[in-house]
């Protein structure tokens, strides 16, 4: 933001809130970090179930299956987990410093991000099954579950950009 004031508009809400860009000059940098972390987290959350689809098709114990195990583990440990942690830390800081906690859209967004975090946890659990050569779910299951992060992301972005309430 270029200025240090923002008028919240939505369902007759005309409260003026202060965004601490002058009081806290790092606010915009932390916002940029948050956006980059979200992009990284979502990229991983969209790619990981696709890897699981292909992993289901690979024969257990094959070189291809072992390669998928390495790819999945590295994606989760090196990209998805750190990106989620940074997203949460930076996002909560932005909400606190921008005084956003009184807004309904943020409550909905936080609930959706909690659901996305739970999906992340399920993905982590399912990777443990793949690592142990257990495949209790079908390729179709992972193709369908691949859409969950997308739907959550759509609603999260709407909450942040439109701020409907």
């Amino acid at each position: 933001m270029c200025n240090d004031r923002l008028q919240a508009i939505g369902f007759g809400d005309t409260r003026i809130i202060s965004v601490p860009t002058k009081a806290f000059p790092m606010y915009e940098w932390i916002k940029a970090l948050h956006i980059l972390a979200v992009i990284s987290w979502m990229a991983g959350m969209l790619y990981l179930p696709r890897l699981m689809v292909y992993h289901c098709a690979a024969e257990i114990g094959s070189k291809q299956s072992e390669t998928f195990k390495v790819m999945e583990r590295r994606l989760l440990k090196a990209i998805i987990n750190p990106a989620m942690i940074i997203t949460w830390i930076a996002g909560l800081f932005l909400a606190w410093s921008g005084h956003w906690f009184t807004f309904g859209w943020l409550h909905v967004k936080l609930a959706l991000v909690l659901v996305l975090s739970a999906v992340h946890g399920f993905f982590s659990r399912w990777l443990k099954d793949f690592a142990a050569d257990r495949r209790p779910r079908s390729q179709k299951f992972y193709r369908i579950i691949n859409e969950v992060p997308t739907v959550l992301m759509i609603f999260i972005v709407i909450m942040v950009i439109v701020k409907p309430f």
Side-chain angles (χ1 to χ4, degrees):
M1 279 181 214
C2 294
N3 59 18
D4 65 346
R5 308 282 294 167
L6 175 71
Q7 183 170 2
I9 302 172
F11 295 109
D13 187 356
T14 57
R15 292 177 283 178
I16 303 292
I17 61 167
S18 174
V19 178
T21 54
K22 289 183 181 173
F24 189 74
M26 293 300 292
Y27 184 89
E28 298 297 333
W29 286 101
I30 293 172
K31 188 190 314 183
L33 176 66
H34 177 68
I35 292 168
L36 291 169
V38 168
I39 291 168
S40 299
W41 188 21
M42 288 308 305
M45 292 292 286
L46 297 171
Y47 185 48
L48 188 57
R50 181 56 46 189
L51 285 176
M52 293 179 196
V53 168
Y54 299 134
H55 197 162
C56 277
E59 185 178 324
I60 291 175
S62 68
K63 184 175 180 170
Q64 187 180 28
S65 177
E66 296 305 310
T67 300
F68 280 124
K69 289 178 187 179
V70 171
M71 291 171 66
E72 292 160 350
R73 185 184 73 251
R74 287 182 180 168
L75 180 61
L76 183 69
K77 302 288 185 188
I79 296 172
I80 301 174
N81 288 348
M84 182 191 73
I85 292 166
I86 293 167
T87 296
W88 270 105
I89 292 169
L92 288 172
F93 173 81
L94 292 170
W96 170 77
S97 63
H99 309 286
W100 297 109
F101 283 110
T102 60
F103 292 85
W105 66 266
L106 182 65
H107 298 171
V108 174
K109 177 196 174 188
L110 288 173
L112 293 169
V113 176
L114 279 171
V115 172
L116 185 62
S117 298
V119 171
H120 179 136
F122 285 122
F123 287 0
S124 297
R125 175 64 189 110
W126 298 334
L127 285 188
K128 291 178 183 177
D129 287 339
F130 278 111
D133 290 324
R134 292 186 303 267
R135 300 187 188 167
R137 292 164 197 85
S138 68
Q139 285 181 303
K140 184 177 180 179
F141 172 83
Y142 294 111
R143 285 183 206 280
I144 293 168
I145 208 72
N146 188 50
E147 304 309 320
V148 173
T150 303
V151 172
L152 290 168
M153 177 184 60
I154 289 167
F155 286 109
I156 291 167
V157 168
I158 288 169
M159 289 300 112
V160 172
I161 302 301
V162 178
K163 295 177 178 61
F165 44 86

